[in-house]
Amino acid sequence: MKRVVGLTGGIGVGKSTAAAVLADLGAVIVDCDQIGRDVARSDGAAYPGMVERFGPGVVGADGEINRPALAAIVFNDPAALADLNAVTHPAIDAVIAERIAAAPADATVILDMAVLVESDLGKGQYAEVLVIEAPLEDRLDRLSQQRG
């Protein structure tokens, strides 16, 4: 029987490391952050709706979404963030469902999702939640090493 587990935790706690360990143990990893990036690409399901809602100013010279320009809009305006989620989340959920369905019947599927608790993404698609935590000092060390 397929087992679907949501994996979450704050920034810098080691979710990616935990996902890699679980993958080494045979779990199927569904990287929900990557799915979010994929559906926002110019050939992605959410791209047309994003451009329609936020305008051509969020499209870079390469034709792709300019993530910093979009972030400047949505992280300062809760209504704009809700609009972005309304466009992207259905597309992300559809891919999550496809990946779960494609996994072997006896697989453990891990939904690696930073915003599992804060959003409705993946709701109803996982039965358990694994929360990764780490001391603040370790998190800050990881973030400074990874992102400067």
Side-chain angles (χ1 to χ4, degrees):
M1 183 171 123
K2 204 174 295 185
R3 179 181 187 183
V4 182
V5 179
L7 172 68
T8 194
I11 190 167
V13 299
K15 288 183 302 294
S16 297
T17 300
V21 169
L22 293 167
D24 287 346
L25 294 171
V28 174
I29 307 300
V30 177
D31 183 341
C32 298
D33 289 341
Q34 183 61 52
I35 294 170
R37 289 187 291 275
D38 292 345
V39 301
R41 290 183 23 199
S42 61
D43 61 351
Y47 182 89
M50 293 170 72
V51 175
E52 180 180 323
R53 165 56 180 89
F54 297 104
V58 299
V59 179
D62 62 356
E64 297 295 332
I65 295 294
N66 179 325
R67 294 171 62 85
L70 181 60
I73 296 168
V74 301
F75 291 130
N76 294 313
D77 182 346
L81 179 58
D83 289 347
L84 176 64
N85 290 342
V87 170
T88 58
H89 285 192
I92 294 168
D93 274 337
V95 176
I96 290 170
E98 289 170 7
R99 302 265 174 92
I100 292 170
D106 62 346
T108 296
V109 179
I110 304 295
L111 304 183
D112 182 355
M113 188 182 324
V115 295
L116 183 120
V117 175
E118 299 85 357
S119 76
D120 287 334
L121 272 177
K123 290 285 192 244
Q125 298 188 72
Y126 55 87
E128 302 170 82
V129 175
L130 175 60
V131 179
I132 305 297
E133 187 54 83
L136 181 59
E137 184 176 302
D138 293 347
R139 295 170 67 177
L140 293 173
D141 286 345
R142 267 192 212 109
L143 286 171
S144 66
Q145 290 172 11
Q146 295 171 356
R147 301 181 189 186

